Amino acid sequence: MKKSTFVAMILGTIGGILFALGMCMALIPEWNAFRPGVVMGVIGAVVLLIMVIVWRKMENKNPIRPSGKTIGTVLLGIIGALLLGVGMCLTMVWSNMILGIVIGIAGIVVLLCLIPLTKGLK
């Protein structure tokens, strides 16, 4: 395993756990930890962003240049992830099964749209 892959794996795991735990803290009302959850989620997102920068530098790749397509792709990924998460919360936390399934499927469809957008169709 290359050193860059190992570093990316470690940072990705740490960032993903912090982000996921922060979102759980913010979205589960029984925990009464909305503000600390948001802080932990932001810290996790920053660690994930640092992971991308460090990995690209270790692989001697050029930095990502923001373009319209890059920004649109990121926004589409964020919207899809939020739709999927809201659908899961509606189903599991707020016991609204039908609406949660519909919104979750919409989120999955939006995330699946990322594949042809980034890779293209042949």
Side-chain angles (χ1 to χ4, degrees):
M1 176 182 284
K2 293 185 346 187
K3 189 188 313 184
S4 61
T5 306
F6 181 72
V7 169
M9 181 181 66
I10 297 298
L11 287 174
T13 302
I14 292 169
I17 288 172
L18 288 174
F19 185 77
L21 185 60
M23 292 302 101
C24 287
M25 290 169 65
L27 293 174
I28 298 177
E30 289 85 11
W31 290 10
N32 292 326
F34 180 79
R35 186 166 290 153
V38 170
V39 170
M40 187 172 292
V42 168
I43 291 170
V46 168
V47 170
L48 291 171
L49 183 62
I50 290 170
M51 177 213 46
V52 171
I53 295 168
V54 167
W55 181 78
R56 289 188 71 83
K57 189 164 188 107
M58 290 179 80
E59 289 286 321
N60 294 324
K61 295 186 179 217
N62 292 332
I64 298 173
R65 303 275 183 236
S67 66
K69 183 180 178 184
T70 304
I71 293 171
T73 303
V74 169
L75 288 177
L76 190 65
I78 290 170
I79 290 168
L82 286 174
L83 283 173
L84 182 59
V86 167
M88 289 174 60
C89 285
L90 281 168
T91 302
M92 296 188 296
V93 177
W94 296 309
S95 299
N96 195 342
M97 186 71 74
I98 302 298
L99 185 61
I101 290 172
V102 169
I103 291 176
I105 289 173
I108 291 170
V109 169
V110 170
L111 289 172
L112 286 173
C113 289
L114 287 172
I115 296 169
L117 182 66
T118 57
K119 297 293 182 186
L121 296 174
K122 296 180 181 170

